[in-house]
Amino acid sequence: MDPSRSDLSQADDALVLRAQNGDHDAFGELVNRHQRRVWMVCRQYVGVGEADAAAQDSLVKAFTRIRDFDRRAAFSTWLTRIAINTCLDELRRRRREAAVDDDRDGDEEAGLLERMPDGGAGPEARSMQKQAVASLATAEERLPPRQREIFRLRFYAEMELEEIATALEVHVGTVKTQLHRAVHRLREELGDYR
Amino acid sequence: MKHHLEEHEMTAAVAGLELDAAAEKHLGSCLSCRQRVSAMRDLIDARRQDLEADAPDWERQRQEVLLRLPSVPAAQSARRHFWTRPLLAVAAVLVAAIGLRALWMPAPPVDLAVDSELPVEQILAEVDAVLADDSIPGLELIDPGLEDGVNGNGTS
């Protein structure tokens, strides 16, 4: 963990202590610090349509259970674990209800091309980048679930390898191996874009 | 001088995994390899930004979370320490073994000579004989004046 993360974790501890005593302001500050990551985690598991609700559910659950937080891991890691579990529960519920909309993923990825932020490059370069991003999104979907999960936690939720290992309850060596395979496979799939 | 990074080294560099010293050194000095790494990193970064474009208004999201919070967190759930698990397992095995033994082991043979009760008449006769005997062992050690002394001044 780099120094800035360590400082953040120590500051989290003080806020957690207050939140454990029912201090909503302290928990609000924790939400402020970590909601982006929680949302990104939820985004990758349940999709953009449900990400807001899943992230809110995760944060409310975190407050409800905050007295169970025993500081064996960083608060952010514990919170990420709650977010992942919340999303997995949601996916199981969806599966039970057999209400999965198969078309949604396709629409979502097609929409990526339209939602690319304008950059400083010219139209042709922007168009190429949009294509490249769309290809990356498609290639990600072809990854084995575990590799995809670890790749996204690493690069989109911007988690450290050790944090991923703790959150997924796997050895850090497994995270490294799966991440290496994921990147290798994506580089192969992307071909010209990489 | 090392040649350009091998595929597995390029992959590791993109993934942010550790490289061996030679590969690290080469990456520091080779513009071509650095560009290849950063091209993939830039692409991943663009995808991340794209995903974030769907993010909600963070302050609104935060306020909605705060509105849903219970007034106080739930009480800490009862949790066993890790070391109680083996102890519980051992205790469970012992209880099971004792139970099985009680179920499956034959009862020991009853010794009638030991378990039979003495006849009441015999017991009464023995008690009478003891009471009739003046020389009960131990009684002679008691000082005949002792009881008077104690009753007299309350001290011995």
Short mmCIF file of all heavy atoms in Angstrom, two decimals, chain B residues 1-5 21-35:
data_model
loop_
_atom_site.label_atom_id
_atom_site.label_comp_id
_atom_site.label_asym_id
_atom_site.label_seq_id
_atom_site.Cartn_x
_atom_site.Cartn_y
_atom_site.Cartn_z
N MET B 1 22.89 -5.23 -24.02
CA MET B 1 21.62 -4.49 -24.01
C MET B 1 20.49 -5.46 -24.35
O MET B 1 20.57 -6.22 -25.31
CB MET B 1 21.69 -3.36 -25.04
CG MET B 1 20.43 -2.50 -25.12
SD MET B 1 20.26 -1.45 -23.67
CE MET B 1 18.73 -0.62 -24.04
N LYS B 2 19.44 -5.44 -23.52
CA LYS B 2 18.32 -6.35 -23.75
C LYS B 2 17.54 -5.92 -24.98
O LYS B 2 17.41 -4.74 -25.27
CB LYS B 2 17.43 -6.31 -22.50
CG LYS B 2 16.21 -7.21 -22.57
CD LYS B 2 15.44 -7.13 -21.27
CE LYS B 2 14.07 -7.78 -21.38
NZ LYS B 2 14.09 -9.14 -21.87
N HIS B 3 17.02 -6.92 -25.71
CA HIS B 3 16.14 -6.61 -26.84
C HIS B 3 14.80 -6.15 -26.30
O HIS B 3 14.57 -6.14 -25.10
CB HIS B 3 15.99 -7.85 -27.73
CG HIS B 3 17.28 -8.23 -28.41
ND1 HIS B 3 17.87 -7.44 -29.37
CD2 HIS B 3 18.08 -9.30 -28.25
CE1 HIS B 3 18.99 -8.01 -29.77
NE2 HIS B 3 19.15 -9.14 -29.11
N HIS B 4 13.90 -5.82 -27.21
CA HIS B 4 12.57 -5.34 -26.78
C HIS B 4 11.89 -6.36 -25.88
O HIS B 4 12.20 -7.56 -25.93
CB HIS B 4 11.71 -5.07 -28.01
CG HIS B 4 12.18 -3.87 -28.78
ND1 HIS B 4 12.38 -2.64 -28.22
CD2 HIS B 4 12.52 -3.74 -30.10
CE1 HIS B 4 12.80 -1.79 -29.14
NE2 HIS B 4 12.90 -2.44 -30.29
N LEU B 5 10.93 -5.87 -25.12
CA LEU B 5 10.26 -6.74 -24.15
C LEU B 5 9.57 -7.90 -24.86
O LEU B 5 8.97 -7.73 -25.92
CB LEU B 5 9.21 -5.94 -23.36
CG LEU B 5 9.71 -4.82 -22.46
CD1 LEU B 5 8.53 -4.22 -21.68
CD2 LEU B 5 10.77 -5.29 -21.51
N ALA B 21 14.62 -7.12 -13.30
CA ALA B 21 15.44 -5.90 -13.34
C ALA B 21 15.82 -5.52 -14.77
O ALA B 21 15.79 -4.34 -15.15
CB ALA B 21 16.68 -6.08 -12.48
N ALA B 22 16.17 -6.53 -15.58
CA ALA B 22 16.61 -6.25 -16.95
C ALA B 22 15.46 -5.66 -17.78
O ALA B 22 15.65 -4.69 -18.53
CB ALA B 22 17.12 -7.53 -17.60
N ALA B 23 14.28 -6.23 -17.60
CA ALA B 23 13.12 -5.73 -18.35
C ALA B 23 12.76 -4.32 -17.89
O ALA B 23 12.43 -3.45 -18.71
CB ALA B 23 11.93 -6.68 -18.16
N GLU B 24 12.85 -4.12 -16.60
CA GLU B 24 12.56 -2.79 -16.05
C GLU B 24 13.52 -1.76 -16.61
O GLU B 24 13.12 -0.65 -17.01
CB GLU B 24 12.66 -2.86 -14.53
CG GLU B 24 12.09 -1.68 -13.77
CD GLU B 24 10.59 -1.70 -13.67
OE1 GLU B 24 10.03 -2.67 -13.13
OE2 GLU B 24 9.98 -0.74 -14.17
N LYS B 25 14.77 -2.14 -16.66
CA LYS B 25 15.79 -1.22 -17.15
C LYS B 25 15.56 -0.92 -18.63
O LYS B 25 15.67 0.23 -19.07
CB LYS B 25 17.18 -1.84 -16.93
CG LYS B 25 18.33 -0.91 -17.25
CD LYS B 25 19.66 -1.58 -16.94
CE LYS B 25 20.82 -0.66 -17.35
NZ LYS B 25 22.11 -1.35 -17.20
N HIS B 26 15.23 -1.96 -19.36
CA HIS B 26 15.00 -1.76 -20.78
C HIS B 26 13.81 -0.83 -21.02
O HIS B 26 13.87 0.08 -21.86
CB HIS B 26 14.75 -3.09 -21.49
CG HIS B 26 14.36 -2.94 -22.92
ND1 HIS B 26 15.28 -2.71 -23.92
CD2 HIS B 26 13.14 -2.93 -23.52
CE1 HIS B 26 14.65 -2.56 -25.08
NE2 HIS B 26 13.34 -2.70 -24.87
N LEU B 27 12.76 -1.07 -20.25
CA LEU B 27 11.56 -0.26 -20.41
C LEU B 27 11.85 1.21 -20.14
O LEU B 27 11.30 2.11 -20.79
CB LEU B 27 10.46 -0.77 -19.47
CG LEU B 27 9.06 -0.21 -19.67
CD1 LEU B 27 8.53 -0.57 -21.06
CD2 LEU B 27 8.10 -0.75 -18.62
N GLY B 28 12.76 1.43 -19.20
CA GLY B 28 13.12 2.81 -18.87
C GLY B 28 13.87 3.51 -19.99
O GLY B 28 13.85 4.75 -20.08
N SER B 29 14.50 2.73 -20.84
CA SER B 29 15.35 3.35 -21.86
C SER B 29 14.80 3.20 -23.28
O SER B 29 15.31 3.83 -24.21
CB SER B 29 16.77 2.75 -21.80
OG SER B 29 16.71 1.37 -22.05
N CYS B 30 13.77 2.36 -23.46
CA CYS B 30 13.29 2.09 -24.82
C CYS B 30 11.96 2.80 -25.07
O CYS B 30 10.92 2.43 -24.50
CB CYS B 30 13.13 0.58 -25.03
SG CYS B 30 12.45 0.18 -26.66
N LEU B 31 12.00 3.80 -25.92
CA LEU B 31 10.79 4.58 -26.22
C LEU B 31 9.72 3.72 -26.87
O LEU B 31 8.53 3.82 -26.56
CB LEU B 31 11.17 5.75 -27.13
CG LEU B 31 10.02 6.69 -27.50
CD1 LEU B 31 9.44 7.35 -26.25
CD2 LEU B 31 10.50 7.75 -28.49
N SER B 32 10.16 2.83 -27.75
CA SER B 32 9.21 1.99 -28.48
C SER B 32 8.39 1.11 -27.52
O SER B 32 7.16 1.03 -27.62
CB SER B 32 9.97 1.12 -29.49
OG SER B 32 9.12 0.15 -30.01
N CYS B 33 9.07 0.47 -26.59
CA CYS B 33 8.37 -0.41 -25.64
C CYS B 33 7.46 0.41 -24.73
O CYS B 33 6.34 0.00 -24.41
CB CYS B 33 9.37 -1.22 -24.81
SG CYS B 33 10.12 -2.57 -25.74
N ARG B 34 7.96 1.57 -24.31
CA ARG B 34 7.12 2.43 -23.44
C ARG B 34 5.85 2.85 -24.17
O ARG B 34 4.77 2.89 -23.59
CB ARG B 34 7.90 3.66 -23.00
CG ARG B 34 8.77 3.44 -21.76
CD ARG B 34 8.98 4.73 -20.99
NE ARG B 34 9.47 5.83 -21.79
CZ ARG B 34 10.74 6.01 -22.14
NH1 ARG B 34 11.65 5.13 -21.76
NH2 ARG B 34 11.10 7.04 -22.87
N GLN B 35 5.99 3.15 -25.45
CA GLN B 35 4.82 3.56 -26.23
C GLN B 35 3.81 2.43 -26.35
O GLN B 35 2.60 2.64 -26.30
CB GLN B 35 5.25 4.05 -27.61
CG GLN B 35 5.82 5.46 -27.58
CD GLN B 35 6.31 5.92 -28.94
OE1 GLN B 35 6.62 5.10 -29.81
NE2 GLN B 35 6.40 7.23 -29.13
#
